[in-house]
Amino acid sequence: MKPVVFILHILPIELYPPIINLLKYERFNSLFSVTVITSYNNKNRLDFISNSIRIKRLNYFGFSKNFLKKVFLLFWYNIAALYSLLRQKPSIILYYEPHSSFPVYFYKRFINTRVDVFIHYHELYTKDDLDAKSMKSIKYFNDFERKYLYPKAKWISQTNRFRLAIFKEENPNASSLALKVFPNYPPSHWNQKKFKLINNKVIRAIYFGAISFENTYIREVVSFFSKFPQLIKLDIYSYNFHNDVEEYFRINTFDNIDFHKKGIDYFDIPKIALNYDLGLILYKGHNLNYTYNAPNKLFEYLSCGLNVWFPIEILGCEPYVEVDSTPCVKRVDFNKINVEIISDHFESRKLSFKASSFSCESEFDKLINSFLN
């Protein structure tokens, strides 16, 4: 009989490709009986469906603006998740983010103290972040993690070593043996094996992901790129944007820049990326979570053979800087973009090509092996 793995991911799994990649991984499904508790997504993404995995979706409390409804949905999530835990009797629990922690805390403390608990964070939650007024409910659940779950968890992971170091410093009671780096790599079949030249006279750039004027350099990039309609073509794919961004692109039109507000399906990225040779990372480093971020799209761009430009303040990308082979990874000051970066990009096409070796499967195997031990 397969061991039962119970996954709590209160935020909609469709908005987080790394968890979808895990649920699609054949070795994972062959070894375990899997149940997932998550939420209905609110971004018109196709629901993930699997014949081998039980998926229960609830309404996420954070999507409600009505306070009483928010409280009820939060209460209902915890009751429903705990009830499912009592029915499934898992030997392994994997949960994501503090939002999902309370049913795990209650189950391990009062029902089954021997259950193995695994924790992963898509984001870094510092003490300063949790002290914000908008984070009251998350801080409440994080207290259960700090006081009980961290010392007893078998695995606690962050997406890179910078975030893990900050987490370790702020949570000295977490078992050092449990602390892991668990990066968000794409599937290995995304990796381009050879250099592709799209157009030797034009840079074809792409950005996909959330955009806002407050937290990304979208305005600065559009302003710069629009000056070079003969040299640069930019496509922006986003289904997660602020209203002022949509209004900006409605009022302003550019010959060489297109905004695709339906976004892009994650699993279509390798096919669409064939039309581009430059991928953009545009996050501003407005907090430690972003400053020490090596975002999913960095590895997705590189796997697809695209050069990458990232903001100088995103220190999490620094270990991946590459200027001696292509795909190149370059830091850029998006507040004052140097025009020379355009000629540098064209020159990079003369460099030797080095295929990406990033693979989510190799990372999943580490998690699976820990499940089995």
Side-chain angles (χ1 to χ4, degrees):
M1 192 172 182
K2 294 180 181 179
V4 175
V5 174
F6 195 97
I7 299 176
L8 291 98
H9 193 289
I10 189 171
L11 294 161
I13 56 175
E14 289 79 13
L15 307 185
Y16 294 85
I19 178 68
I20 298 295
N21 284 332
L22 174 62
L23 298 179
K24 289 170 67 76
Y25 186 33
E26 186 175 344
R27 181 174 180 235
F28 178 63
N29 285 292
S30 68
L31 291 172
F32 304 104
S33 175
V34 182
T35 295
V36 178
I37 301 289
T38 187
S39 300
Y40 296 104
N41 81 78
N42 67 334
K43 297 294 183 180
N44 296 317
R45 302 292 95 187
L46 290 175
D47 286 345
F48 172 74
I49 298 173
S50 171
N51 293 328
S52 59
I53 298 174
R54 291 180 292 274
I55 301 176
K56 181 176 180 61
R57 289 181 172 83
L58 302 166
N59 290 307
Y60 176 50
F61 71 93
F63 294 157
S64 175
K65 296 181 180 180
N66 181 286
F67 176 75
L68 291 178
K69 185 177 181 181
K70 189 187 294 280
V71 171
F72 172 78
L73 291 176
L74 179 58
F75 174 79
W76 179 245
Y77 162 77
N78 286 294
I79 293 298
L82 184 57
Y83 176 72
S84 294
L85 281 167
L86 292 170
R87 290 193 63 189
Q88 295 294 324
K89 297 180 175 62
S91 54
I92 299 162
I93 301 175
L94 167 63
Y95 79 83
Y96 290 75
E97 317 292 42
H99 322 40
S100 305
S101 63
F102 182 77
V104 184
Y105 158 78
F106 192 94
Y107 185 80
K108 182 167 178 65
R109 183 160 191 175
F110 300 110
I111 308 298
N112 181 4
T113 59
R114 298 178 63 185
V115 67
D116 289 333
V117 173
F118 293 72
I119 308 168
H120 179 66
Y121 294 102
H122 296 299
E123 313 291 347
L124 173 67
Y125 298 89
T126 66
K127 290 182 178 179
D128 286 343
D129 295 329
L130 293 168
D131 283 337
K133 185 177 180 181
S134 61
M135 301 285 278
K136 279 186 176 180
S137 62
I138 297 174
K139 183 178 182 179
Y140 174 78
F141 294 123
N142 178 248
D143 285 343
F144 292 106
E145 295 183 294
R146 292 177 187 273
K147 294 175 182 177
Y148 186 80
L149 291 173
Y150 286 169
K152 299 180 181 298
K154 189 173 180 180
W155 170 295
I156 307 172
S157 54
Q158 294 280 344
T159 58
N160 62 54
R161 60 184 174 87
F162 299 110
R163 287 177 168 183
L164 189 67
I166 295 170
F167 177 89
K168 182 178 182 180
E169 182 179 353
E170 292 199 343
N171 299 281
N173 64 330
S175 170
S176 59
L177 295 176
L179 299 180
K180 311 289 182 183
V181 173
F182 193 50
N184 292 333
Y185 295 153
S188 57
H189 71 263
W190 285 33
N191 292 332
Q192 286 288 324
K193 306 302 181 186
K194 61 182 180 180
F195 175 72
K196 61 183 191 308
L197 181 61
I198 306 303
N199 186 317
N200 61 1
K201 295 182 179 180
V202 178
I203 298 174
R204 292 296 305 272
I206 184 173
Y207 174 83
F208 53 79
I211 50 176
S212 71
F213 292 132
E214 181 182 3
N215 296 329
T216 69
Y217 285 110
I218 193 67
R219 193 196 303 271
E220 291 81 355
V221 163
V222 168
S223 176
F224 178 77
F225 280 20
S226 63
K227 298 173 184 177
F228 305 96
Q230 304 305 315
L231 291 178
I232 305 174
K233 173 73 171 70
L234 171 63
D235 284 308
I236 301 163
Y237 294 87
S238 180
Y239 60 81
N240 188 4
F241 48 83
H242 290 191
N243 291 336
D244 56 349
V245 172
E246 183 177 19
E247 182 68 7
Y248 174 78
F249 283 108
R250 188 187 67 81
I251 295 173
N252 300 285
T253 58
F254 307 93
D255 292 338
N256 60 328
I257 300 171
D258 289 320
F259 175 48
H260 309 268
K261 64 181 183 180
K262 289 186 178 180
I264 181 173
D265 185 271
Y266 176 78
F267 295 101
D268 288 337
I269 289 174
K271 177 177 63 179
I272 292 175
L274 292 173
N275 300 309
Y276 303 92
D277 59 354
L278 173 64
L280 301 175
I281 295 170
L282 300 178
Y283 302 124
K284 296 179 179 179
H286 61 285
N287 60 28
L288 291 180
N289 179 51
Y290 279 91
T291 299
Y292 293 105
N293 184 19
N296 303 0
K297 60 176 63 64
L298 168 65
F299 308 111
E300 292 155 5
Y301 290 149
L302 292 176
S303 292
C304 294
L306 279 61
N307 282 0
V308 179
W309 295 355
F310 72 90
I312 55 174
E313 61 266 46
I314 306 301
L315 302 181
C317 292
E318 283 291 329
Y320 305 96
V321 169
E322 176 60 67
V323 295
D324 296 325
S325 62
T326 188
C328 292
V329 180
K330 292 191 174 185
R331 59 181 76 84
V332 176
D333 184 347
F334 283 107
N335 285 307
K336 47 180 180 179
I337 306 174
N338 191 327
V339 70
E340 290 181 3
I341 199 168
I342 297 176
S343 58
D344 288 346
H345 179 85
F346 286 120
E347 285 295 312
S348 74
R349 294 172 174 175
K350 301 175 183 178
L351 299 172
S352 60
F353 179 76
K354 184 178 180 181
S356 166
S357 60
F358 300 122
S359 160
C360 67
E361 294 90 346
S362 62
E363 298 302 319
F364 294 158
D365 284 339
K366 297 173 187 177
L367 177 65
I368 290 169
N369 292 339
S370 190
F371 282 172
L372 295 172
N373 290 335

